[in-house]
Amino acid sequence: MKKIIAVSFLFYSFLLWYGVSFLSFSIVDVRSIDHFPVLNYILNFSFFLFGKNDFALRVPEIIVGFCSVLLFYKLTEFYLKKEKDRFFATIIFMLIPGMIISSIIVNKSVYLIFLTLLFVYLYKTNKIYSYILLALCVFLDSGFISLFFALIFYAIYKKDNVLLLLSLLFLAINANYFNYDIGGKPKGHFLDLFGTYFLIFSPFVFIYFLFSIYKGFFDKKRDIVFFIAFFTFIISILLSFRQRIKIDDYAPFTLVYVIYMVKYFLSSYRVRLPQFRGTYKTVFIVLITTLTFFDIALFLNRYTPARKLSSSYYFIKPLASELKNKNIDFINSKNKRLLRALNFYGLKKGNKYMIIYEKRENKVSIFHKKRKIMQINVSKLNTL
């Protein structure tokens, strides 16, 4: 345990340094707060403790991510006997791109991951506490509806009448409280969804995730972790044929399945004689290598073709500095989220200057009395 604490602490210290040094409070962060209002209370408490700055902005997600890794490690004790296997599984979980991303940006995913891990751990150690946690989650976010849905099938499978009754009740309350709606004409966002899962797991790890899900379907010893991951994943796939879904409502519940992925891989590897393990060694090298390169790309994406997808995380802070250097302290914009992001860095709302962000062209235009006085290519704004 001490070893995983030390490694996790160093890794999350690096993530905190990276987030504070290079990331900006972005339009996407503002959107996340709007969709998950609890973040407002968490951030305000952090601002109260540390002041309104980038450190206070990033530290809550870092702490929850760190705690999630430790909780995941504790959960592996129910599935993996050897200490080195549990350590290996936890490192893989920590390096999953989706886990890294959710730990350094302002979003609800890392909280859903933590609560899912906590629920599973409590369910295995103290079911009463796990039911209390589920009850609290009912009013926390609409994303938990997929968890309740998965638990219904698990309860039927295990003939757990108490869990079945509670899951049905919580699902109904959650759907009604958040006015959950499944609508829209069939548009086929299936490929977009798969592409997002590729980003969350990394391509080859996601392929192995699919293989492990398939293998788990025929595993007679499958438990609650399989049901949570399988059904939330299937629900997201089915809904994607009809509408564009919010991936952070589903993906957090699938990450816990890393336990099964490692378990299946190690069992398949060790059941074979040493001379027949070559293929598995190759698969392992490919998976770890691609996962590592994918993680490195996350931190270097400012210089990759993916920069337009993530530019919002980089240009707000330097843009605010650029405007202040030109004595522009009061601005207005039709993009209210952009305005709130810039306000975080000290730019106040005023009618003297109007700012327009053209996302497709990655440009910001500043107008004074309806006359354009400046245009900034935000892709050239650099915090490194």
Side-chain angles (χ1 to χ4, degrees), residues 18-47:
Y18 178 84
V20 172
S21 301
F22 303 132
L23 299 183
S24 299
F25 181 51
S26 74
I27 298 171
V28 182
D29 290 333
V30 175
R31 186 187 302 123
S32 296
I33 294 172
D34 290 341
H35 291 162
F36 190 58
V38 175
L39 282 173
N40 251 327
Y41 299 102
I42 295 171
L43 290 175
N44 285 334
F45 181 69
S46 183
F47 294 154

Side-chain angles (χ1 to χ4, degrees), residues 145-163:
I145 195 170
S146 56
L147 174 63
F148 299 139
F149 189 79
L151 293 178
I152 289 172
F153 285 92
Y154 174 73
I156 294 172
Y157 174 73
K158 297 295 290 187
K159 299 179 181 178
D160 187 338
N161 293 328
V162 175
L163 181 60

